[in-house]
C-alpha cells in the first residue's frame, strides 16, 4: 500500500465525484460525504458523526479535555485547528509590547476572548478596565466630577466631553460644511444629513431614521405607551417634545411672533400659516 504513494497508482475511484484514493479506508471514509452516513455516535448526547476523529473532538466538550496548548501563552484548546487559529494572532498586526501581560490583553482583540464577566448581569469583557467601567452602571458610582459645575460622571471620557460645554471647544468639524461639534457622536449624526444615511430601521413599518433617538420616539407611535403626561389636564403623549408643545396651550405662551404685524403664536406651525397671509398670491 505504501508503494502506491511513490508510483501514483490510484485504485479506488469515487463514482459520484471522480476523486481517487490509494487506500480503501480513505475511499470508504470519503463515501460518507455523499451518503450522509454517520456511524459514530456520542454516548453522552447522542450526536452522530461521519468520522471517528470528529467524534473524538466532540467528546472533549463533555470531558473538558484541551490537549493542544500554545507555546507562547500556554492557553489550551480542544482542537488543533483552534490552536492554529489562535497562533495566527501572534503575526496579525506586529504590534509590540514591553510586558507579556499587555500582549496577552491585546491578543484578545484578535481572538474575541472575553474572560472577565460581570457578577450582576453576566456581560463579558476582554479587559478589566472595561469591566470596572461597566460595574458603575450597577453601583451608580460617578468618580469624575466637573470642577466648574460639580456634575459627576461614571467615565473620564464623559467628563472630558462635558467640559467642552464650559470651554466652548468643538474639535470635531464636518468636512462637507465646516460645522463643528464638541462630541464625535454628534458629528457622526450630522454627517448623515449630507450622506442621506438612515441606519435605524423601524421593525414595525420599515421606516428609517438617521438618529436612534428619532427611531425610539417613532416606535412609541406604534405602541400604546405614552409616558409623558400633562400635569395640567392629564393628557398623555408618546414624545416629550409633543408634551412641551402641548403645555404652551395652558401657559398662554406665544414665543413665535410675525415680523410683519407682530402678531404672536404659541406654535411655529401656526406662525408659518399666518405668514402666508402677508405673501401676495399669483396675479
Amino acid at each position: 500500500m505504501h508503494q502506491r504513494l511513490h508510483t501514483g497508482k490510484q485504485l479506488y475511484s469515487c463514482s459520484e465525484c471522480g476523486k481517487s484514493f490509494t487506500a480503501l479506508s480513505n475511499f470508504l471514509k470519503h463515501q460518507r460525504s455523499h451518503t450522509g452516513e454517520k456511524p459514530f455516535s456520542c454516548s453522552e448526547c447522542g450526536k452522530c458523526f461521519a468520522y471517528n476523529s470528529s467524534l473524538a473532538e466532540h467528546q472533549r466538550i463533555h470531558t473538558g479535555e484541551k490537549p493542544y496548548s500554545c507555546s507562547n501563552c500556554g492557553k489550551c484548546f480542544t482542537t488543533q485547528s483552534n490552536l492554529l487559529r489562535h497562533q495566527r494572532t501572534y503575526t496579525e498586526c506586529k504590534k509590540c509590547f514591553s510586558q507579556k501581560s499587555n500582549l496577552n490583553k491585546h491578543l484578545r482583540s484578535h481572538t474575541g476572548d472575553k474572560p472577565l464577566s460581570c457578577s450582576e448581569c453576566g456581560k463579558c469583557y476582554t479587559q478589566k478596565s472595561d469591566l470596572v467601567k461597566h460595574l458603575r452602571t450597577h453601583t451608580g458610582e460617578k468618580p469624575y466630577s466637573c470642577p466648574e459645575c460639580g456634575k459627576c460622571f461614571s467615565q473620564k471620557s464623559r467628563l472630558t466631553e462635558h467640559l467642552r460645554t464650559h470651554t466652548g471647544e468643538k474639535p470635531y468639524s464636518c468636512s462637507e460644511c465646516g460645522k463643528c461639534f464638541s462630541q464625535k457622536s454628534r458629528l457622526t449624526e450630522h454627517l448623515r444629513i449630507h450622506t442621506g444615511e438612515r441606519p435605524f430601521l423601524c421593525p414595525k413599518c420599515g421606516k428609517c431614521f438617521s438618529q436612534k433617538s428619532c427611531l425610539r420616539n417613532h416606535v412609541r407611535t406604534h405602541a400604546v405607551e405614552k409616558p409623558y403626561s400633562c400635569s395640567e389636564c392629564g393628557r398623555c403623549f408618546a414624545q416629550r417634545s409633543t408634551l412641551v408643545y402641548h403645555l404652551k396651550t395652558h401657559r398662554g405662551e406665544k414665543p413665535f411672533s410675525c415680523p410683519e404685524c407682530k402678531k404672536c403664536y404659541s406654535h411655529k406651525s401656526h406662525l408659518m400659516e399666518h405668514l402666508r397671509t402677508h405673501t401676495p398670491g399669483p396675479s
Side-chain angles (χ1 to χ4, degrees):
M1 187 181 289
H2 170 75
Q3 286 180 329
R4 293 178 196 142
L5 298 175
H6 301 291
T7 61
K9 191 175 181 182
Q10 297 173 329
L11 298 181
Y12 307 102
S13 180
C14 176
S15 59
E16 291 286 334
C17 63
K19 195 171 182 181
S20 298
F21 299 86
T22 55
L24 178 62
S25 58
N26 291 337
F27 170 68
L28 294 174
K29 285 179 184 177
H30 169 76
Q31 288 292 296
R32 293 176 197 143
S33 65
H34 299 297
T35 63
E37 183 191 5
K38 295 181 178 181
F40 304 100
S41 64
C42 175
S43 57
E44 290 287 331
C45 64
K47 192 172 182 180
C48 295
F49 300 87
Y51 310 111
N52 195 26
S53 57
S54 301
L55 171 61
E57 283 185 0
H58 165 79
Q59 285 177 325
R60 292 178 194 138
I61 296 170
H62 300 297
T63 62
E65 184 191 4
K66 294 182 178 182
Y68 303 98
S69 64
C70 175
S71 57
N72 286 304
C73 66
K75 192 173 181 179
C76 296
F77 300 87
T78 54
T79 66
Q80 189 174 28
S81 59
N82 287 343
L83 169 62
L84 293 173
R85 191 181 299 115
H86 165 78
Q87 286 177 328
R88 283 198 293 270
T89 64
Y90 287 96
T91 57
E92 289 254 333
C93 65
K94 305 295 184 184
K95 197 171 182 182
C96 297
F97 299 88
S98 58
Q99 297 178 26
K100 192 175 182 180
S101 59
N102 291 336
L103 169 62
N104 289 335
K105 285 179 185 176
H106 168 76
L107 285 171
R108 293 174 193 152
S109 66
H110 297 296
T111 62
D113 186 26
K114 295 182 178 182
L116 307 166
S117 64
C118 173
S119 57
E120 291 288 330
C121 65
K123 197 171 182 182
C124 296
Y125 295 87
T126 56
Q127 296 185 32
K128 189 177 180 180
S129 59
D130 292 333
L131 173 60
V132 170
K133 285 178 186 176
H134 166 77
L135 285 170
R136 292 179 191 139
T137 63
H138 297 296
T139 63
E141 183 191 5
K142 294 182 178 182
Y144 305 101
S145 63
C146 174
E148 292 288 331
C149 66
K151 193 172 181 181
C152 296
F153 300 86
S154 60
Q155 296 180 33
K156 192 176 181 181
S157 58
R158 293 283 183 265
L159 171 60
T160 301
E161 286 181 353
H162 166 78
L163 285 170
R164 293 179 190 136
T165 63
H166 298 296
T167 62
E169 184 191 5
K170 294 183 178 182
Y172 304 103
S173 63
C174 174
S175 56
E176 291 288 330
C177 65
K179 192 172 181 180
C180 296
F181 299 88
S182 59
Q183 297 178 28
K184 191 176 181 180
S185 59
R186 294 284 182 263
L187 171 61
T188 301
E189 286 180 357
H190 166 79
L191 285 170
R192 294 180 190 135
I193 296 170
H194 300 296
T195 62
E197 183 191 7
R198 295 187 174 193
F200 303 103
L201 175 75
C202 174
K204 289 280 184 181
C205 66
K207 194 172 181 181
C208 295
F209 299 87
S210 58
Q211 296 180 29
K212 194 173 184 178
S213 59
C214 293
L215 170 61
R216 197 180 300 117
N217 288 336
H218 166 78
V219 165
R220 293 195 189 113
T221 64
H222 294 296
V224 181
E225 182 193 6
K226 291 184 178 181
Y228 304 102
S229 62
C230 174
S231 57
E232 294 287 332
C233 66
R235 192 175 170 185
C236 295
F237 301 89
Q239 299 179 32
R240 188 174 182 276
S241 58
T242 311
L243 171 60
V244 171
Y245 195 79
H246 165 79
L247 284 170
K248 290 170 185 171
T249 62
H250 294 297
R251 296 173 187 155
E253 185 183 348
K254 294 183 178 181
F256 304 102
S257 64
C258 174
E260 293 288 332
C261 65
K262 305 305 177 185
K263 195 171 181 180
C264 296
Y265 296 88
S266 57
H267 306 310
K268 191 176 181 180
S269 60
H270 295 165
L271 169 62
M272 298 308 289
E273 284 178 10
H274 166 76
L275 285 172
R276 295 190 192 109
T277 65
H278 294 295
T279 306
S283 56

